[in-house]
Amino acid sequence: MSDVIMKVKNLRKVFGDFVANDGISFEVEAGKIYALAGENGAGKSTLMKMLYGVYPIDGGELYLDGEKMEKYSPSVAREKGIGMVFQDFRLVPAFTALENIFLSTDNTGWMFHKNELRKRMKELSDRYSLHVNPDEVVWRLDLGQRQHIEILKVLMNDNTRILIFDEPTSVLSPNEIDAFLKLLTVFRDKGFAILLITHKIHEIVQVADVVHILRKGRLVYTFDDKETFSEKEIVAKMIGDEADGADSDLANVQAQFTGKEDVLGDGIDDKPLLMAKAITIKDDYGRPIIYNADFHVSAGMILGVAGISGNGQRELTEMLYGIRPLSAGKLALDGEDISACDTARRLELGMRILSEDPIRDNLVPEYTVLEHMAISGFPYKKKGPMIDWEELDERVSDCEEIRDLNVPDMPRQAEKLSGGNIQRMVFARAVIAHPKVFIASYPSRGLDIATVSAVHETLERLKAEGAAVIFISEDLNELFTMSDRLIVLSENSIFGPYKPREFDAQMIGEVMLKGVKE
Amino acid sequence: MKIKDFVIKALIGIAASFGIFSVFLLTQQQNPLVVYKTLIMCFVNNRYNVGEIAVKMTPVLLAGMAALIPAKVGLSNCGGEGQLIAGCLTANIVGVYICGNMPGAVGIPIMLLTAALAGMVWAAIPLFCKIRLNMNETLTTLLSNYVMYKFVSYMVFGPIKDVKGNNYPMSAKIAEQLRIPSFTGTRANFMIFVAIAAAILVWFVFAKTELGFKLRIIGGNERAALFAGYNVKRAQCISFLVAGAIAGFAGGVIMSSVEFQMRETTAHDLGFLGFLATGIAGGNAIISILTGLMLSALNVCGTSLEISTGLRSAASTILMSIILLTIFALGRRKRAQ
């Protein structure tokens, strides 16, 4: 076929020192579905935003119909026939579906020709079965219908030839996903070119004609024959194999670590301290994000939690800590059923948390570091009606964790601390209380190397004291070195436990991306 | 905000405002110096006018606390006005129909307590909407004020209209013994000290006790309080109900010390002035005493301005607005870098 619409050559994008995309070249032909696969942060979304003109191109060339694009912007992209459906929808919730579509049309007149627009919208929604009531306000529509509006917005432009979808299926339920994938093939057969970003490998295998694999901002491999790729091969290319993946995180893990040795022995699993049985947790939209799953963690053990972010990490930690209700199942701590206990009781029982976003969840802007230490359970004495701040200051400053972690000075006001300092403060506050169960979400995020190793040492020390540590991280390297057992959040479930020694990066990558371990 | 900083800023603000207001006075063919002299002189050797400041300041300060306490736990109570009037109305009804023959020592406390209760009930409605129905409390409390205005109109035109009142829309007066005795030569009474003590107590609780420390976390970051294991909703409910009770109590005080009977506009604007007083004070209860004093004094001298210069009383409202905006502008928080 020679129907090349778009051609890119050596595209490059940098954010400060960070190279998000480099040396990317490919062609886009009409009537094909191109899938882009890669780990978090591989540069997929950045690349698409460049193609749509949202981000300026820092290097390389972009050709449309053989013409080199100079002053490129989303309006030029739209004019040339490129439409993008964003991951976070760009709709006005208080407007109706029709009004939202009106906003996106390049309408130059004064009038809102409602009937004309409605006719056109109906025609398009009938043709592609994109059913949505034009007069319903958007905030009442579910996410699937909102996506329909976004697609209609793009189709309303007669020029559209290339459709870009950024993680379109992440907001859909399983049967909606099937319908959506069918819709993609309909678009393809009508002659549209489709660029699809997704984390879900089976979707790629189902619909894609060409698969581009991105790793660390570079296009590392392209499958261009539908017969030649399988889920397994795609995963292997994404995380990098021995042949050409020496720079991948996962490949590094494999090269440097065979995983932590199982010093605890199998017996440790028989006496769980914290036990979750058949738990179901719902996300903010009321959909089960973790369904009917089990896991446990024993005293004196670090349980690593792996998974692509957004697979229920936040919901799981909030449920464990009593901020989010447990929809079904049972949670027991030291034999006591705590499924219905509030956070105060869980704190009493020795549970502490470092949440994924301490600024959102823990920071009281007007309070000092010392005052933060008195919040959530570090014991203090009272002097008259007030907390004895001097005594607290003395005791807190004596803790070696405070020194090791380089916690900011006690009189400093929290509002004026950097993100890393806030992280240190909240982490230190949790560990100086010598918790029995410590839920640590991304404890090394945003910290320098010295502090990261102090964090790791602190976790080891807690473990030696007999604490059960639940350790959530995106960094597989860190997970493999620190964890005694690993579980994986994926496909609305919890997989594992796995022993890091018996498990390699390849295998965990597969579980993270597809759920089941083959 | 430190008290010293505030006083300096307030003085600068007042001076600047007087300057701006002079321009307005000149357009009205008034000599600013003469007008300002009149303003100051109305408090010199005038026991009655000084007393009037206390009369105004008592409900303003209490209503200010009704806005300040919920603000500390992250809620906004714009309904102090309605809660105060609810208390005022209730105190009148209880005073006229129940305590009519009781001695003051029994009747007055009953009136004040029922007034507080009424304020609490009137606050409970928007509170329910907030906690259970997740409705914005700023809007519901604000709107509840106007519902209370209309309710008072209905009451004084109908059920509680004084049968001996020549068909005027006003209620009967409460009995003589139910009126709080005032200081000689004024309409002021000891309740001003109760109000000031209340403000000091509120300051003490929030600044100097463990309870206040915990409550302020809720206002600072509700999620932080949740993560600290505090029962956020319970604390918010109690704080809000206490606030409603204080505003209602203030209404009871007005009824039993200066108004004695209910008319359509009785006790109007006092709740809003209180809200303003704490707003300018940046949520500091001690500074609220100063701002409450200032607002009350401006309010009182507005009347004498009208009498001695022939300017309309709206002129004093203009002056007050200029002063408030100026102090507000000076006292705004510098954005963190």
Side-chain angles (χ1 to χ4, degrees):
Chain A
M1 266 210 268
S2 63
D3 249 351
V4 178
I5 305 173
M6 178 195 271
K7 190 172 154 187
V8 296
K9 240 177 160 173
N10 283 321
L11 277 194
R12 179 180 166 83
K13 179 76 210 169
V14 279
F15 296 109
D17 294 335
F18 178 71
V19 181
N21 283 132
D22 197 14
I24 291 184
S25 308
F26 59 84
E27 292 180 350
V28 176
E29 293 172 14
K32 280 195 178 177
I33 297 178
Y34 298 82
L36 270 101
E39 295 177 45
N40 267 342
K44 306 181 295 283
S45 289
T46 310
L47 177 60
M48 293 301 111
K49 283 178 181 163
M50 253 198 298
L51 297 184
Y52 187 57
V54 177
Y55 291 154
I57 296 167
D58 292 339
E61 292 120 50
L62 169 70
Y63 298 93
L64 286 171
D65 301 319
E67 181 193 345
K68 189 173 177 215
M69 291 292 118
E70 296 293 351
K71 280 186 181 162
Y72 196 57
S73 69
S75 54
V76 176
R78 273 199 297 271
E79 203 180 296
K80 293 282 173 189
I82 301 171
M84 179 152 176
V85 175
F86 288 92
Q87 195 171 2
D88 44 338
F89 298 147
R90 300 178 178 203
L91 298 171
V92 183
F95 281 12
T96 65
L98 190 66
E99 286 163 347
N100 268 287
I101 286 172
F102 172 74
L103 286 180
S104 73
T105 54
D106 292 327
N107 196 315
T108 45
W110 287 92
M111 299 290 286
F112 179 5
H113 297 293
K114 225 174 187 170
N115 290 334
E116 210 173 290
L117 200 66
R118 186 193 302 273
K119 220 175 93 191
R120 188 140 162 61
M121 179 179 167
K122 182 153 172 20
E123 196 183 291
L124 282 169
S125 27
D126 286 348
R127 192 186 314 160
Y128 298 109
S129 316
L130 291 166
H131 298 299
V132 54
N133 176 359
D135 298 312
E136 186 65 275
V137 284
V138 164
W139 60 267
R140 287 193 196 211
L141 299 174
D142 65 31
L143 293 169
Q145 285 173 306
R146 289 183 203 195
Q147 187 175 54
H148 286 175
I149 301 176
E150 285 286 352
I151 298 172
L152 283 170
K153 270 165 67 170
V154 172
L155 294 176
M156 291 300 274
N157 180 355
D158 289 319
N159 297 335
T160 300
R161 292 174 294 167
I162 300 180
L163 293 166
I164 303 175
F165 290 97
D166 191 355
E167 298 263 5
T169 55
S170 59
V171 296
L172 302 178
S173 64
N175 51 342
E176 284 176 322
I177 292 179
D178 284 342
F180 177 80
L181 294 176
K182 246 178 238 140
L183 179 67
L184 287 187
T185 58
V186 172
F187 284 141
R188 172 182 57 194
D189 297 343
K190 295 261 178 192
F192 287 101
I194 290 161
L195 289 167
L196 171 71
I197 299 180
T198 178
H199 275 308
K200 297 176 185 160
I201 310 299
H202 61 94
E203 293 172 4
I204 296 180
V205 174
Q206 218 174 318
V207 298
D209 299 300
V210 177
V211 185
H212 292 304
I213 309 286
L214 260 71
R215 202 161 62 220
K216 299 231 157 169
R218 292 176 162 273
L219 191 60
V220 292
Y221 198 84
T222 299
F223 296 96
D224 50 10
D225 185 351
K226 203 158 177 48
E227 306 307 313
T228 61
F229 56 79
S230 67
E231 292 193 17
K232 202 165 179 169
E233 280 170 279
I234 295 172
V235 171
K237 294 292 180 193
M238 277 171 70
I239 58 182
D241 48 26
E242 285 89 347
D244 67 334
D247 58 342
S248 161
D249 274 348
L250 283 136
N252 269 339
V253 175
Q254 227 175 352
Q256 293 168 16
F257 305 103
T258 34
K260 186 171 184 166
E261 202 178 336
D262 184 12
V263 285
L264 299 173
D266 285 329
I268 190 87
D269 291 329
D270 302 337
K271 338 179 261 295
L273 182 66
L274 184 73
M275 179 123 131
K277 268 254 172 292
I279 52 165
T280 296
I281 309 167
K282 290 187 174 155
D283 65 11
D284 294 340
Y285 301 100
R287 297 170 306 190
I289 189 146
I290 290 176
Y291 179 74
N292 198 19
D294 304 302
F295 77 93
H296 60 263
V297 50
S298 307
M301 161 173 164
I302 295 176
L303 178 74
V305 181
I308 292 169
S309 64
N311 269 286
Q313 286 89 338
R314 177 165 75 93
E315 288 82 357
L316 176 66
T317 56
E318 287 180 359
M319 184 283 291
L320 291 173
Y321 193 58
I323 302 285
R324 184 179 289 272
L326 186 60
S327 298
K330 197 183 135 183
L331 184 69
L333 176 58
D334 220 355
E336 182 186 333
D337 185 348
I338 58 164
S339 312
C341 285
D342 59 13
T343 303
R345 175 74 185 136
R346 292 179 206 215
L347 278 162
E348 255 173 53
L349 290 170
M351 192 184 273
R352 292 292 183 279
I353 194 170
L354 170 70
S355 84
E356 60 166 28
D357 185 353
I359 296 180
R360 180 191 65 204
D361 296 334
N362 302 107
L363 196 74
V364 186
E366 66 192 71
Y367 279 19
T368 62
V369 174
L370 180 64
E371 286 175 317
H372 274 86
M373 293 295 161
I375 309 172
S376 62
F378 189 69
Y380 52 76
K381 292 199 175 72
K382 279 175 77 173
K383 189 174 173 187
M386 193 34 140
I387 295 162
D388 185 347
W389 294 114
E390 277 169 36
E391 191 265 353
L392 182 70
D393 193 357
E394 246 167 61
R395 251 175 340 115
V396 170
S397 303
D398 272 353
C399 294
E400 57 184 306
E401 285 89 350
I402 298 287
R403 285 193 305 275
D404 293 350
L405 291 162
N406 219 340
V407 174
D409 295 338
M410 291 296 143
R412 287 183 64 182
Q413 203 190 339
E415 194 168 35
K416 295 183 177 131
L417 297 177
S418 69
N421 272 334
I422 292 165
Q423 176 91 351
R424 284 177 234 258
M425 174 180 83
V426 177
F427 182 80
R429 176 174 81 187
V431 296
I432 58 174
H434 299 282
K436 256 168 92 178
V437 176
F438 181 37
I439 306 157
S441 305
Y442 314 104
S444 49
R445 192 187 264 175
L447 300 178
D448 54 84
I449 296 167
T451 316
V452 168
S453 69
V455 164
H456 289 173
E457 276 164 32
T458 310
L459 291 177
E460 289 289 354
R461 197 179 314 149
L462 282 179
K463 173 187 154 184
E465 283 172 11
V469 178
I470 297 170
F471 176 54
I472 296 163
S473 174
E474 273 177 324
D475 184 345
L476 285 176
N477 200 328
E478 190 184 41
L479 278 173
F480 269 76
T481 20
M482 294 297 299
S483 311
D484 296 301
R485 293 287 184 277
L486 275 169
I487 56 174
V488 182
L489 300 186
S490 175
E491 300 277 310
N492 306 107
S493 197
I494 298 176
F495 297 90
Y498 307 111
K499 294 179 185 169
R501 251 292 161 87
E502 299 169 4
F503 212 61
D504 65 28
Q506 185 82 38
M507 288 151 77
I508 207 153
E510 265 179 48
V511 181
M512 276 166 70
L513 292 162
K514 299 193 306 188
V516 282
K517 183 192 162 201
E518 278 165 13
Chain B
M1 198 162 29
K2 294 261 164 45
I3 296 174
K4 203 179 97 190
D5 295 348
F6 174 79
V7 172
I8 293 168
K9 280 176 181 164
L11 290 176
I12 297 171
I14 291 172
S17 309
F18 276 32
I20 299 168
F21 191 61
S22 306
V23 179
F24 168 78
L25 289 175
L26 290 170
T27 66
Q28 303 296 310
Q29 283 87 43
Q30 297 280 345
N31 181 347
L33 294 175
V34 173
V35 173
Y36 294 149
K37 192 182 160 209
T38 319
L39 283 186
I40 294 161
M41 289 312 286
C42 78
F43 297 119
V44 176
N45 287 327
N46 191 331
R47 201 179 161 81
Y48 181 82
N49 274 355
V50 174
E52 281 306 283
I53 296 178
V55 168
K56 277 274 189 281
M57 189 176 158
T58 306
V60 166
L61 194 50
L62 289 171
M65 294 305 113
L68 186 142
I69 295 168
K72 293 282 183 201
V73 293
L75 292 179
S76 133
N77 179 15
C78 308
E81 174 88 359
Q83 291 144 21
L84 186 146
I85 296 172
C88 199
L89 176 68
T90 306
N92 178 267
I93 296 172
V94 169
V96 171
Y97 297 96
I98 298 172
C99 304
N101 296 316
M102 291 181 188
V106 182
I108 294 174
I110 291 179
M111 278 168 65
L112 294 179
L113 280 177
T114 50
L117 200 64
M120 197 194 270
V121 169
W122 199 244
I125 298 167
L127 179 65
F128 176 84
C129 292
K130 168 71 181 176
I131 300 290
R132 283 295 148 118
L133 310 177
N134 202 18
M135 288 161 73
N136 183 319
E137 81 283 2
T138 311
L139 296 176
T140 51
T141 51
L142 189 63
L143 292 175
S144 70
N145 297 329
Y146 300 100
V147 177
M148 184 45 70
Y149 284 170
K150 295 294 171 203
F151 183 64
V152 168
S153 291
Y154 162 74
M155 291 303 279
V156 296
F157 274 101
I160 62 166
K161 185 159 76 176
D162 187 6
V163 283
K164 289 173 250 161
N166 298 326
N167 215 20
Y168 281 116
M170 43 177 73
S171 75
K173 289 189 175 179
I174 56 171
E176 290 285 343
Q177 81 277 9
L178 297 177
R179 302 177 187 181
I180 299 174
S182 47
F183 303 135
T184 326
T186 70
R187 296 200 297 159
N189 59 60
F190 75 99
M191 279 297 173
I192 180 62
F193 301 117
V194 173
I196 292 173
I200 294 172
L201 180 69
V202 168
W203 170 81
F204 181 79
V205 168
F206 282 113
K208 297 286 168 194
T209 70
E210 184 193 5
L211 173 70
F213 173 77
K214 290 181 171 180
L215 289 175
R216 279 188 292 134
I217 294 171
I218 302 176
N221 179 354
E222 206 174 306
R223 270 185 86 80
L226 217 55
F227 272 75
Y230 301 156
N231 192 334
V232 170
K233 287 200 168 171
R234 202 177 121 220
Q236 287 181 328
C237 285
I238 294 173
S239 307
F240 206 84
L241 293 174
V242 167
I246 293 175
F249 177 82
V253 170
I254 298 168
M255 180 48 62
S256 60
S257 59
V258 285
E259 294 287 349
F260 313 131
Q261 67 178 160
M262 205 66 199
R263 285 167 292 111
E264 255 194 295
T265 57
T266 299
H268 272 205
D269 292 343
L270 294 167
F272 286 132
L273 282 177
F275 186 83
L276 267 180
T278 48
I280 304 165
N284 182 320
I286 296 287
I287 296 178
S288 298
I289 300 175
L290 301 178
T291 54
L293 175 69
M294 188 182 74
L295 287 178
S296 310
L298 280 167
N299 205 295
V300 172
C301 62
T303 319
S304 39
L305 197 68
E306 196 179 352
I307 296 165
S308 57
T309 64
L311 282 170
R312 300 196 174 178
S313 66
S316 71
T317 315
I318 295 172
L319 176 60
M320 195 196 288
S321 309
I322 296 172
I323 293 178
L324 293 185
L325 289 172
T326 318
I327 296 177
F328 216 35
L330 289 172
R332 75 190 187 282
R333 266 180 91 200
K334 295 281 181 298
R335 192 177 283 188
Q337 294 303 307

